[in-house]
Protein backbone atom coordinates (compact mmCIF):
# COMPACT_ATOMS: atom_id res chain seq x y z
CA UNK A 1 0.00 0.00 0.00
CA UNK A 2 1.39 3.40 -0.99
CA UNK A 3 0.68 6.45 1.16
CA UNK A 4 -0.67 9.40 -0.82
CA UNK A 5 1.46 12.52 -0.52
CA UNK A 6 -0.11 15.93 -1.15
CA UNK A 7 2.35 18.76 -1.79
CA UNK A 8 1.85 21.78 0.44
CA UNK A 9 1.91 25.35 -0.80
CA UNK A 10 5.20 27.31 -0.82
CA UNK A 11 6.39 28.33 2.64
CA UNK A 12 9.23 29.74 4.70
CA UNK A 13 9.87 28.25 8.13
CA UNK A 14 11.99 30.19 10.60
CA UNK A 15 13.34 27.94 13.35
CA UNK A 16 14.36 29.84 16.48
CA UNK A 17 16.84 27.68 18.39
CA UNK A 18 17.92 26.03 15.14
CA UNK A 19 21.17 24.65 16.60
CA UNK A 20 19.48 23.21 19.66
CA UNK A 21 18.60 19.66 20.61
CA UNK A 22 14.98 19.73 19.37
CA UNK A 23 16.00 20.99 15.94
CA UNK A 24 18.79 18.44 15.69
CA UNK A 25 16.79 15.40 16.83
CA UNK A 26 13.32 16.17 15.47
CA UNK A 27 12.71 19.25 13.35
CA UNK A 28 15.45 18.99 10.73
CA UNK A 29 14.97 15.22 10.24
CA UNK A 30 11.19 15.71 9.99
CA UNK A 31 11.56 18.41 7.34
CA UNK A 32 14.03 16.26 5.41
CA UNK A 33 11.64 13.30 5.41
CA UNK A 34 8.86 15.47 4.02
CA UNK A 35 11.24 16.66 1.30
CA UNK A 36 12.23 13.06 0.59
CA UNK A 37 8.53 12.13 0.30
CA UNK A 38 7.99 14.88 -2.26
CA UNK A 39 5.71 16.96 -0.06
CA UNK A 40 7.77 20.16 -0.01
CA UNK A 41 7.54 22.53 -2.99
CA UNK A 42 10.72 23.43 -4.82
CA UNK A 43 10.92 26.95 -3.41
CA UNK A 44 10.25 26.14 0.26
CA UNK A 45 12.90 27.68 2.54
CA UNK A 46 14.17 26.73 6.01
CA UNK A 47 15.77 29.62 7.88
CA UNK A 48 17.66 28.76 11.04
CA UNK A 49 18.27 31.32 13.76
CA UNK A 50 20.05 31.39 17.08
CA UNK A 51 22.24 33.87 18.90
CA UNK A 52 25.68 32.81 17.74
CA UNK A 53 26.92 33.71 14.24
CA UNK A 54 27.16 30.75 11.87
CA UNK A 55 27.90 30.65 8.14
CA UNK A 56 25.26 28.95 5.98
CA UNK A 57 27.68 26.13 5.13
CA UNK A 58 28.28 25.41 8.81
CA UNK A 59 24.55 25.29 9.46
CA UNK A 60 24.14 22.88 6.54
CA UNK A 61 26.91 20.72 8.01
CA UNK A 62 25.06 20.75 11.33
CA UNK A 63 21.89 19.63 9.53
CA UNK A 64 23.77 16.89 7.66
CA UNK A 65 25.10 15.57 10.97
CA UNK A 66 21.59 15.75 12.45
CA UNK A 67 20.25 13.54 9.67
CA UNK A 68 23.08 11.10 10.27
CA UNK A 69 22.03 10.47 13.86
CA UNK A 70 18.25 10.74 13.49
CA UNK A 71 16.12 7.68 14.16
CA UNK A 72 14.77 6.16 10.98
CA UNK A 73 16.83 8.26 8.55
CA UNK A 74 18.80 5.65 6.63
CA UNK A 75 20.29 5.24 3.16
CA UNK A 76 19.93 8.94 2.41
CA UNK A 77 19.35 9.81 -1.25
CA UNK A 78 22.24 12.14 -2.01
CA UNK A 79 20.30 14.13 -4.60
CA UNK A 80 17.47 14.76 -2.17
CA UNK A 81 19.96 15.56 0.58
CA UNK A 82 21.63 18.18 -1.63
CA UNK A 83 18.24 19.67 -2.52
CA UNK A 84 17.28 19.81 1.15
CA UNK A 85 20.54 21.38 2.29
CA UNK A 86 20.21 24.06 -0.38
CA UNK A 87 16.94 25.12 1.22
CA UNK A 88 18.78 26.02 4.44
CA UNK A 89 20.02 29.46 5.34
CA UNK A 90 21.06 30.88 8.67
CA UNK A 91 20.62 34.28 10.32
CA UNK A 92 22.13 35.15 13.71
CA UNK A 93 19.40 36.76 15.84
CA UNK A 94 19.46 37.80 19.49
CA UNK A 95 16.11 37.12 21.15
CA UNK A 96 16.81 39.65 23.90
CA UNK A 97 17.96 42.59 21.77
CA UNK A 98 17.40 44.04 18.29
CA UNK A 99 20.64 42.56 16.99
CA UNK A 100 20.16 40.54 13.80
CA UNK A 101 16.47 41.25 13.36
CA UNK A 102 16.88 43.60 10.38
CA UNK A 103 18.86 40.80 8.66
CA UNK A 104 16.03 38.35 9.31
CA UNK A 105 13.50 40.84 7.96
CA UNK A 106 15.57 41.26 4.79
CA UNK A 107 15.83 37.50 4.33
CA UNK A 108 12.07 37.08 4.66
CA UNK A 109 11.13 40.03 2.43
CA UNK A 110 11.24 37.94 -0.74
CA UNK A 111 8.59 35.59 0.63
CA UNK A 112 5.93 37.99 1.85
CA UNK A 113 3.20 36.37 -0.25
CA UNK A 114 3.77 32.83 1.01
CA UNK A 115 3.03 30.92 4.22
CA UNK A 116 5.45 31.97 6.94
CA UNK A 117 5.99 29.71 9.98
CA UNK A 118 7.84 30.86 13.08
CA UNK A 119 8.86 27.78 15.10
CA UNK A 120 9.86 28.63 18.68
CA UNK A 121 12.16 25.71 19.52
CA UNK A 122 13.42 27.62 22.56
CA UNK A 123 12.67 27.82 26.27
CA UNK A 124 9.33 29.40 27.24
CA UNK A 125 11.09 32.38 28.82
CA UNK A 126 12.00 33.49 25.28
CA UNK A 127 8.49 33.28 23.81
CA UNK A 128 7.58 36.81 24.88
CA UNK A 129 10.71 38.66 23.66
CA UNK A 130 10.81 36.74 20.37
CA UNK A 131 7.13 37.34 19.61
CA UNK A 132 7.45 41.01 20.59
CA UNK A 133 10.30 41.51 18.11
CA UNK A 134 8.54 39.54 15.39
CA UNK A 135 5.75 42.08 15.76
CA UNK A 136 8.00 45.12 16.16
CA UNK A 137 9.98 44.37 13.00
CA UNK A 138 6.83 43.83 10.94
CA UNK A 139 7.43 40.16 10.19
CA UNK A 140 3.81 39.04 10.68
CA UNK A 141 1.79 38.63 7.49
CA UNK A 142 -1.75 37.38 6.87
CA UNK A 143 -0.26 33.93 6.19
CA UNK A 144 1.99 33.80 9.26
CA UNK A 145 1.75 31.13 11.95
CA UNK A 146 3.70 30.57 15.16
CA UNK A 147 4.49 27.19 16.72
CA UNK A 148 4.83 27.09 20.50
CA UNK A 149 6.53 24.10 22.12
CA UNK A 150 5.55 22.84 25.54
CA UNK A 151 5.65 23.63 28.35
CA UNK A 152 3.12 26.43 28.00
CA UNK A 153 3.70 27.74 31.51
CA UNK A 154 4.32 25.89 34.75
CA UNK A 155 0.90 26.70 36.24
CA UNK A 156 -2.28 28.53 35.24
CA UNK A 157 -0.93 32.01 35.95
CA UNK A 158 2.26 31.53 33.92
CA UNK A 159 0.34 29.81 31.09
CA UNK A 160 -1.98 32.80 30.88
CA UNK A 161 1.04 35.09 30.78
CA UNK A 162 2.63 33.09 27.93
CA UNK A 163 -0.64 32.97 26.00
CA UNK A 164 -1.12 36.71 26.43
CA UNK A 165 2.41 37.44 25.20
CA UNK A 166 1.96 35.34 22.07
CA UNK A 167 -1.58 36.66 21.59
CA UNK A 168 -0.41 40.27 21.49
CA UNK A 169 1.32 39.54 18.18
CA UNK A 170 -0.55 36.57 16.64
CA UNK A 171 -4.26 35.89 16.25
CA UNK A 172 -5.41 32.73 18.06
CA UNK A 173 -6.07 31.15 14.65
CA UNK A 174 -2.37 31.54 13.87
CA UNK A 175 -1.06 30.02 17.13
CA UNK A 176 -0.13 26.32 17.02
CA UNK A 177 0.61 24.88 20.48
CA UNK A 178 2.30 21.63 19.62
CA UNK A 179 1.94 18.32 21.47
CA UNK A 180 3.82 15.71 19.48
CA UNK A 181 1.71 12.90 20.99
CA UNK A 182 -1.28 14.15 19.02
CA UNK A 183 0.68 13.66 15.79
CA UNK A 184 1.16 9.94 16.36
CA UNK A 185 -0.62 7.71 13.87
CA UNK A 186 -2.33 5.65 16.56
CA UNK A 187 -3.75 8.70 18.31
CA UNK A 188 -5.50 9.74 15.12
CA UNK A 189 -6.62 6.17 14.57
CA UNK A 190 -8.42 6.41 17.89
CA UNK A 191 -10.79 8.88 16.25
CA UNK A 192 -11.10 6.63 13.19
CA UNK A 193 -11.92 3.63 15.39
CA UNK A 194 -14.59 5.53 17.27
CA UNK A 195 -16.23 7.56 14.56
CA UNK A 196 -15.75 5.50 11.36
CA UNK A 197 -17.01 2.18 12.72
CA UNK A 198 -20.46 1.20 13.91
CA UNK A 199 -18.90 -1.33 16.26
CA UNK A 200 -17.50 0.88 19.02
CA UNK A 201 -19.47 4.09 19.49
CA UNK A 202 -22.71 2.39 20.69
CA UNK A 203 -20.76 0.73 23.53
CA UNK A 204 -18.45 3.68 24.27
CA UNK A 205 -20.06 4.59 27.60
CA UNK A 206 -20.42 3.61 31.25
CA UNK A 207 -22.96 0.88 30.48
CA UNK A 208 -20.29 -1.18 28.70
CA UNK A 209 -16.86 0.17 29.72
CA UNK A 210 -15.53 -0.73 33.16
CA UNK A 211 -12.49 1.53 33.22
CA UNK A 212 -9.75 3.10 31.08
CA UNK A 213 -5.98 3.02 31.61
CA UNK A 214 -3.52 5.42 30.02
CA UNK A 215 0.17 4.64 30.47
CA UNK A 216 3.12 6.67 29.22
CA UNK A 217 6.22 4.92 30.55
CA UNK A 218 9.87 5.71 29.89
CA UNK A 219 12.77 3.42 30.67
CA UNK A 220 15.32 6.25 30.56
CA UNK A 221 16.13 8.70 33.33
CA UNK A 222 16.40 12.45 32.98
CA UNK A 223 18.96 12.05 30.16
CA UNK A 224 21.12 14.99 31.22
CA UNK A 225 18.11 17.25 31.83
CA UNK A 226 17.86 16.74 35.60
CA UNK A 227 18.24 20.46 36.28
CA UNK A 228 15.26 21.34 34.07
CA UNK A 229 13.25 18.31 35.15
CA UNK A 230 13.57 19.23 38.81
CA UNK A 231 11.59 22.42 38.09
CA UNK A 232 8.85 20.47 36.34
CA UNK A 233 8.23 16.87 37.41
CA UNK A 234 6.06 14.18 35.87
CA UNK A 235 2.73 15.93 36.49
CA UNK A 236 3.72 19.10 34.64
CA UNK A 237 5.94 17.39 32.08
CA UNK A 238 3.56 14.62 30.96
CA UNK A 239 0.12 14.65 32.58
CA UNK A 240 -0.92 18.26 32.01
CA UNK A 241 -0.38 17.99 28.28
CA UNK A 242 0.20 14.54 26.74
CA UNK A 243 -1.90 12.36 29.01
CA UNK A 244 -4.82 14.76 29.42
CA UNK A 245 -4.96 15.16 25.65
CA UNK A 246 -5.16 11.38 25.24
CA UNK A 247 -7.87 11.24 27.89
CA UNK A 248 -9.84 13.89 26.00
CA UNK A 249 -9.70 11.96 22.74
CA UNK A 250 -10.95 8.81 24.47
CA UNK A 251 -13.70 10.56 26.40
CA UNK A 252 -14.97 13.34 24.14
CA UNK A 253 -18.40 13.34 22.52
CA UNK A 254 -18.55 12.89 18.74
CA UNK A 255 -17.79 16.27 17.14
CA UNK A 256 -20.10 17.53 14.40
CA UNK A 257 -17.09 17.36 12.02
CA UNK A 258 -13.31 17.11 12.08
CA UNK A 259 -13.08 20.88 11.85
CA UNK A 260 -10.42 22.02 14.31
CA UNK A 261 -12.72 23.98 16.59
CA UNK A 262 -15.41 21.29 16.55
CA UNK A 263 -12.91 18.74 17.85
CA UNK A 264 -11.37 21.13 20.37
CA UNK A 265 -14.77 22.21 21.67
CA UNK A 266 -15.49 18.59 22.63
CA UNK A 267 -12.06 18.14 24.25
CA UNK A 268 -12.62 21.29 26.29
CA UNK A 269 -15.91 19.89 27.62
CA UNK A 270 -14.05 16.83 28.94
CA UNK A 271 -11.43 18.96 30.71
CA UNK A 272 -14.17 21.02 32.34
CA UNK A 273 -15.99 17.84 33.43
CA UNK A 274 -12.98 16.34 35.26
CA UNK A 275 -13.83 15.91 38.93
CA UNK A 276 -11.57 18.08 41.12
CA UNK A 277 -8.61 16.58 42.95
CA UNK A 278 -7.46 18.79 45.80
CA UNK A 279 -6.46 18.75 49.46
CA UNK A 280 -9.66 16.92 50.38
CA UNK A 281 -9.04 13.82 48.26
CA UNK A 282 -5.53 13.85 46.74
CA UNK A 283 -4.26 11.11 49.07
CA UNK A 284 -6.87 8.67 47.70
CA UNK A 285 -6.63 9.77 44.06
CA UNK A 286 -2.91 10.32 43.42
CA UNK A 287 0.45 8.65 43.97
CA UNK A 288 3.79 10.27 43.24
CA UNK A 289 7.17 8.58 43.28
CA UNK A 290 10.87 9.13 42.70
CA UNK A 291 13.26 6.49 41.37
CA UNK A 292 16.23 5.17 43.26
CA UNK A 293 19.25 3.34 41.87
CA UNK A 294 18.45 0.08 40.13
CA UNK A 295 18.90 -1.77 36.85
CA UNK A 296 17.77 -0.84 33.36
CA UNK A 297 18.69 -2.11 29.87
CA UNK A 298 20.86 -4.79 31.43
CA UNK A 299 22.99 -2.50 33.55
CA UNK A 300 23.08 -0.56 36.79
CA UNK A 301 21.65 2.97 36.70
CA UNK A 302 21.81 5.77 39.29
CA UNK A 303 18.87 7.18 41.20
CA UNK A 304 17.26 10.53 40.47
CA UNK A 305 19.08 12.32 43.30
CA UNK A 306 22.44 11.06 42.00
CA UNK A 307 21.58 12.32 38.51
CA UNK A 308 20.52 15.64 39.99
CA UNK A 309 23.65 15.89 42.11
CA UNK A 310 21.62 16.78 45.18
CA UNK A 311 20.88 15.12 48.47
CA UNK A 312 17.17 15.88 48.37
CA UNK A 313 14.35 16.82 46.03
CA UNK A 314 10.57 16.62 46.27
CA UNK A 315 10.13 16.45 42.48
CA UNK A 316 8.16 13.44 41.32
CA UNK A 317 9.52 11.25 38.51
CA UNK A 318 6.38 9.08 38.61
CA UNK A 319 2.72 9.87 39.04
CA UNK A 320 -0.43 7.75 39.06
CA UNK A 321 -3.89 9.31 39.19
CA UNK A 322 -7.42 8.02 39.40
CA UNK A 323 -9.38 10.58 37.37
CA UNK A 324 -13.14 10.75 37.09
CA UNK A 325 -15.34 12.56 34.58
CA UNK A 326 -18.59 14.02 35.83
CA UNK A 327 -20.96 13.56 32.91
CA UNK A 328 -23.60 11.07 31.77
CA UNK A 329 -21.36 9.10 29.42
CA UNK A 330 -18.56 8.46 31.91
CA UNK A 331 -20.08 8.67 35.38
CA UNK A 332 -18.69 5.79 37.44
CA UNK A 333 -15.91 4.92 34.97
CA UNK A 334 -12.45 5.62 36.45
CA UNK A 335 -9.58 6.70 34.22
CA UNK A 336 -6.32 5.42 35.67
CA UNK A 337 -3.35 7.49 34.49
CA UNK A 338 0.32 6.73 35.09
CA UNK A 339 3.60 8.00 33.77
CA UNK A 340 7.19 7.92 34.94
CA UNK A 341 10.87 7.64 34.21
CA UNK A 342 13.12 4.63 34.77
CA UNK A 343 10.18 2.25 34.55
CA UNK A 344 10.34 -1.40 33.48
CA UNK A 345 9.93 -0.67 29.77
CA UNK A 346 9.21 2.10 27.28
CA UNK A 347 5.56 1.93 26.34
CA UNK A 348 2.68 4.32 25.69
CA UNK A 349 -0.77 2.83 25.39
CA UNK A 350 -4.46 3.28 26.08
CA UNK A 351 -6.43 0.34 27.44
CA UNK A 352 -10.22 0.45 27.24
CA UNK A 353 -11.46 -2.33 29.53
CA UNK A 354 -15.02 -3.44 28.87
CA UNK A 355 -17.34 -4.83 31.53
CA UNK A 356 -17.45 -8.61 32.08
CA UNK A 357 -20.28 -10.59 30.54
CA UNK A 358 -23.32 -10.62 32.86
CA UNK A 359 -23.73 -14.42 32.83
CA UNK A 360 -21.66 -17.37 31.60
CA UNK A 361 -23.32 -20.26 29.76
CA UNK A 362 -20.10 -22.31 29.89
CA UNK A 363 -19.17 -24.89 32.51
CA UNK A 364 -16.05 -24.77 34.66
CA UNK A 365 -14.04 -26.90 32.20
CA UNK A 366 -14.15 -24.08 29.65
CA UNK A 367 -11.83 -22.01 31.80
CA UNK A 368 -12.11 -18.43 33.04
CA UNK A 369 -13.79 -15.80 30.89
CA UNK A 370 -11.81 -12.59 30.63
CA UNK A 371 -13.41 -9.26 29.84
CA UNK A 372 -12.84 -7.78 26.38
CA UNK A 373 -10.42 -4.92 26.10
CA UNK A 374 -9.23 -2.62 23.35
CA UNK A 375 -5.53 -1.75 23.49
CA UNK A 376 -4.27 1.19 21.47
CA UNK A 377 -0.46 1.17 21.37
CA UNK A 378 1.26 4.49 20.66
CA UNK A 379 4.84 3.32 21.08
CA UNK A 380 6.72 1.20 20.37
CA UNK A 381 5.18 -0.86 17.54
CA UNK A 382 2.14 1.30 16.93
CA UNK A 383 -1.04 -0.68 16.50
CA UNK A 384 -4.38 -1.81 17.89
CA UNK A 385 -5.39 -5.03 19.66
CA UNK A 386 -8.91 -6.15 20.46
CA UNK A 387 -8.86 -8.94 23.05
CA UNK A 388 -11.67 -11.48 22.65
CA UNK A 389 -12.67 -14.90 24.01
CA UNK A 390 -12.60 -17.70 21.40
CA UNK A 391 -12.70 -21.48 21.42
CA UNK A 392 -9.36 -23.27 21.55
CA UNK A 393 -9.18 -25.22 18.24
CA UNK A 394 -9.48 -28.99 18.26
CA UNK A 395 -11.65 -31.73 19.77
CA UNK A 396 -12.10 -32.36 23.44
CA UNK A 397 -14.87 -30.01 24.44
CA UNK A 398 -15.26 -26.28 24.82
CA UNK A 399 -12.05 -24.67 26.01
CA UNK A 400 -11.88 -20.89 25.89
CA UNK A 401 -8.84 -18.73 25.19
CA UNK A 402 -8.31 -14.98 25.53
CA UNK A 403 -6.59 -13.86 22.32
CA UNK A 404 -6.04 -10.58 20.46
CA UNK A 405 -7.10 -9.48 17.04
CA UNK A 406 -3.82 -7.73 16.39
CA UNK A 407 -3.21 -4.99 13.84
CA UNK A 408 0.34 -3.71 13.65
CA UNK A 409 0.48 -0.67 11.36
CA UNK A 410 3.94 -1.59 10.11
CA UNK A 411 2.92 -5.13 9.07
CA UNK A 412 -0.57 -4.31 7.75
CA UNK A 413 0.22 -1.26 5.65
CA UNK A 414 3.83 -1.99 4.79
CA UNK A 415 4.75 1.68 4.68
CA UNK A 416 7.05 3.83 6.75
CA UNK A 417 5.31 5.34 9.76
CA UNK A 418 6.09 9.08 9.72
CA UNK A 419 7.34 10.75 12.87
CA UNK A 420 4.73 12.89 14.60
CA UNK A 421 6.67 16.08 13.90
CA UNK A 422 6.48 15.44 10.16
CA UNK A 423 2.70 15.45 10.21
CA UNK A 424 2.39 18.35 12.62
CA UNK A 425 4.78 20.68 10.79
CA UNK A 426 2.91 20.08 7.53
CA UNK A 427 -0.38 20.72 9.33
CA UNK A 428 1.00 24.08 10.45
CA UNK A 429 1.83 24.95 6.85
CA UNK A 430 -1.70 23.96 5.80
CA UNK A 431 -3.21 25.94 8.67
CA UNK A 432 -4.96 22.86 10.08
CA UNK A 433 -5.23 23.24 13.89
CA UNK A 434 -7.12 20.02 14.65
CA UNK A 435 -4.14 18.36 16.35
CA UNK A 436 -3.04 21.46 18.26
CA UNK A 437 -4.20 22.82 21.61
CA UNK A 438 -6.34 25.90 21.83
CA UNK A 439 -5.66 28.52 24.47
CA UNK A 440 -8.71 27.63 26.56
CA UNK A 441 -7.74 23.93 26.48
CA UNK A 442 -4.30 24.67 27.90
CA UNK A 443 -5.75 26.83 30.64
CA UNK A 444 -8.51 24.34 31.50
CA UNK A 445 -5.89 21.60 31.91
CA UNK A 446 -3.90 23.80 34.30
CA UNK A 447 -7.07 24.57 36.29
CA UNK A 448 -7.37 20.84 36.99
CA UNK A 449 -3.66 20.23 37.62
CA UNK A 450 -2.90 23.25 39.84
CA UNK A 451 -4.95 22.05 42.86
CA UNK A 452 -3.07 18.72 42.76
CA UNK A 453 0.26 20.53 42.84
CA UNK A 454 -1.03 22.76 45.67
CA UNK A 455 -2.20 19.74 47.67
CA UNK A 456 1.15 17.97 47.30
CA UNK A 457 2.97 21.12 48.33
CA UNK A 458 0.78 21.67 51.38
CA UNK A 459 1.07 18.05 52.54
CA UNK A 460 4.88 18.19 52.71
CA UNK A 461 4.90 14.44 51.96
CA UNK A 462 7.87 13.29 49.93
CA UNK A 463 7.48 11.21 46.74
CA UNK A 464 7.46 7.48 47.43
CA UNK A 465 10.70 5.76 46.39
CA UNK A 466 10.77 3.06 43.73
CA UNK A 467 13.62 1.06 42.27
CA UNK A 468 14.68 1.95 38.73
CA UNK A 469 13.55 -0.76 36.31
CA UNK A 470 10.26 -1.45 38.09
CA UNK A 471 6.71 -0.18 37.46
CA UNK A 472 6.83 2.49 40.14
CA UNK A 473 6.00 2.57 43.85
CA UNK A 474 3.79 -0.11 45.36
CA UNK A 475 1.25 2.56 46.26
CA UNK A 476 0.46 2.90 42.52
CA UNK A 477 -0.54 -0.76 42.48
CA UNK A 478 -2.70 -0.22 45.55
CA UNK A 479 -4.36 2.79 43.87
CA UNK A 480 -5.98 0.57 41.25
CA UNK A 481 -6.18 -2.76 43.11
CA UNK A 482 -8.27 -1.40 45.95
CA UNK A 483 -10.94 -0.92 43.26
CA UNK A 484 -10.65 -4.61 42.32
CA UNK A 485 -8.70 -3.88 39.14
CA UNK A 486 -5.06 -4.18 38.06
CA UNK A 487 -2.66 -2.44 35.71
CA UNK A 488 -2.62 -4.12 32.30
CA UNK A 489 0.58 -5.07 30.51
CA UNK A 490 -0.05 -5.93 26.85
CA UNK A 491 3.55 -5.83 25.75
Amino acid sequence: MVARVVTVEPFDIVVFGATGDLARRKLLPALFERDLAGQMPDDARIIGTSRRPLPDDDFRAFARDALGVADGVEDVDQAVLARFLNRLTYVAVDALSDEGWPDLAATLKAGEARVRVFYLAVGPDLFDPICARIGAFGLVTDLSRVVVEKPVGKDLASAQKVNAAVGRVFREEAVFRIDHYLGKETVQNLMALRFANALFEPVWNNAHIDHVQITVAESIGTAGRAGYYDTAGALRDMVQNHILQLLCLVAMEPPVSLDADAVRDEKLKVLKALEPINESNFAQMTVRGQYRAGASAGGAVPGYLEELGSGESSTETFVAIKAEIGNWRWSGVPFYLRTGKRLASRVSEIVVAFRPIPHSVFDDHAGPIMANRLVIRLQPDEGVKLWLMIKDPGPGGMRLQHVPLDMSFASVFGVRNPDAYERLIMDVVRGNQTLFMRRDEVEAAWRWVDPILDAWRASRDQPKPYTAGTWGPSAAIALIERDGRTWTDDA
Side-chain angles (χ1 to χ4, degrees):
M1 182 177 294
V2 178
R4 188 166 65 95
V5 175
V6 179
T7 304
V8 298
E9 57 188 298
F11 68 91
D12 291 339
I13 180 169
V14 181
V15 180
F16 291 90
T19 57
D21 188 57
L22 178 64
R24 182 182 66 86
R25 290 187 304 107
K26 293 295 184 180
L27 303 185
L28 291 170
L31 288 163
F32 172 75
E33 288 289 358
R34 291 300 87 205
D35 200 1
L36 182 62
Q39 195 165 18
M40 293 174 64
D42 291 339
D43 53 352
R45 296 190 299 173
I46 301 165
I47 302 163
T49 77
S50 65
R51 185 175 180 179
R52 65 188 179 97
L54 196 68
D56 286 351
D57 286 344
D58 287 359
F59 182 50
R60 290 167 184 153
F62 170 83
R64 187 186 295 110
D65 291 343
L67 299 181
V69 300
D71 291 340
V73 179
E74 301 172 353
D75 301 324
V76 174
D77 184 311
Q78 293 302 309
V80 177
L81 176 60
R83 182 179 71 199
F84 176 75
L85 294 176
N86 284 334
R87 299 182 187 278
L88 272 58
T89 59
Y90 183 89
V91 180
V93 169
D94 187 350
L96 300 178
S97 77
D98 292 347
E99 186 178 347
W101 288 90
D103 297 332
L104 179 59
T107 301
L108 288 172
K109 190 170 182 61
E112 288 181 342
R114 61 171 62 192
V115 171
R116 182 177 292 177
V117 177
F118 298 100
Y119 200 116
L120 306 188
V122 294
D125 56 319
L126 295 179
F127 292 173
D128 189 351
I130 288 177
C131 286
R133 285 175 173 81
I134 288 173
F137 282 87
L139 305 185
V140 179
T141 66
D142 290 342
L143 293 177
S144 290
R145 303 88 151 86
V146 63
V147 183
V148 179
E149 276 281 346
K150 80 173 186 73
V152 180
K154 60 180 182 179
D155 52 24
L156 177 59
S158 58
Q160 290 173 326
K161 184 177 180 181
V162 169
N163 283 329
V166 176
R168 281 192 288 271
V169 179
F170 294 92
R171 297 172 291 110
E172 178 61 26
E173 296 76 20
V175 181
F176 290 74
R177 298 172 187 84
I178 195 167
D179 182 343
H180 71 273
Y181 263 68
L182 297 187
K184 292 181 179 294
E185 194 71 40
T186 323
V187 173
Q188 295 169 77
N189 257 301
L190 174 58
M191 288 194 285
L193 283 170
R194 287 192 58 187
F195 306 134
N197 297 285
L199 178 64
F200 292 114
E201 192 57 27
V203 297
W204 209 260
N205 54 58
N206 55 8
H208 302 281
I209 292 178
D210 179 76
H211 71 281
V212 176
Q213 299 179 24
I214 301 177
T215 297
V216 179
E218 298 178 280
S219 58
I220 62 171
T222 55
R225 297 168 63 242
Y228 157 75
Y229 194 87
D230 204 53
T231 66
L235 187 65
R236 288 187 177 98
D237 190 50
M238 296 298 292
V239 175
Q240 186 273 338
N241 40 75
H242 300 328
I243 292 183
L244 285 186
Q245 285 293 308
L246 297 179
L247 182 150
C248 286
L249 290 174
V250 173
M252 71 182 187
E253 295 297 318
V256 297
S257 71
L258 285 185
D259 174 76
D261 278 332
V263 172
R264 296 188 295 181
D265 285 346
E266 298 304 332
K267 290 197 294 177
L268 180 62
K269 291 176 185 177
V270 174
L271 292 170
K272 289 183 174 181
L274 285 169
E275 298 287 1
I277 299 176
N278 49 39
E279 290 188 43
S280 68
N281 62 352
F282 80 95
Q284 295 76 42
M285 308 297 277
T286 72
V287 173
R288 57 178 179 151
Q290 189 182 94
Y291 62 86
R292 299 292 187 259
S296 180
V301 294
Y304 176 71
L305 296 180
E306 286 78 21
E307 290 183 355
L308 183 63
S310 172
E312 61 178 341
S313 171
S314 59
T315 298
E316 78 284 356
T317 62
F318 174 95
V319 61
I321 297 175
K322 178 182 176 181
E324 297 175 324
I325 300 172
N327 62 23
W328 278 34
R329 182 185 287 262
W330 297 111
S331 180
V333 178
F335 283 67
Y336 297 101
L337 319 175
R338 64 172 172 171
T339 185
K341 292 187 176 294
R342 287 286 187 218
L343 298 182
S345 64
R346 173 179 174 264
V347 61
S348 297
E349 68 181 17
I350 301 165
V351 179
V352 180
F354 291 90
R355 294 192 182 280
I357 59 172
H359 171 72
S360 175
V361 300
F362 303 96
D363 60 30
D364 292 341
H365 297 292
I369 297 178
M370 310 293 290
N372 303 132
R373 65 178 182 265
L374 178 67
V375 180
I376 301 153
R377 175 68 66 90
L378 281 68
Q379 65 182 23
D381 305 323
E382 291 186 277
V384 177
K385 292 181 184 178
L386 178 61
W387 287 83
L388 303 170
M389 296 301 302
I390 66 165
K391 178 187 175 296
D392 192 4
M398 181 67 73
R399 300 185 307 278
L400 299 177
Q401 293 288 336
H402 196 221
V403 298
L405 297 178
D406 190 353
M407 188 189 75
S408 165
F409 294 159
S411 61
V412 170
F413 293 101
V415 296
R416 174 184 170 272
N417 199 7
D419 181 80
Y421 277 95
E422 296 177 44
R423 175 177 294 103
L424 294 173
I425 292 173
M426 292 299 102
D427 276 355
V428 174
V429 174
R430 294 189 190 95
N432 182 357
Q433 289 194 317
T434 304
L435 300 177
F436 297 83
M437 291 178 286
R438 202 166 58 192
R439 176 174 181 166
D440 50 4
E441 277 186 84
V442 173
E443 294 178 4
W446 278 120
R447 285 190 179 91
W448 188 72
V449 165
D450 272 1
I452 301 175
L453 291 167
D454 292 341
W456 286 349
R457 194 177 300 113
S459 75
R460 299 183 180 275
D461 292 339
Q462 291 298 303
K464 299 181 184 302
Y466 64 95
T467 303
T470 67
W471 280 109
S474 58
I477 300 173
L479 174 75
I480 189 170
E481 291 197 345
R482 63 172 170 253
D483 294 338
R485 303 177 178 100
T486 190
W487 293 108
T488 299
D489 179 13
D490 281 290

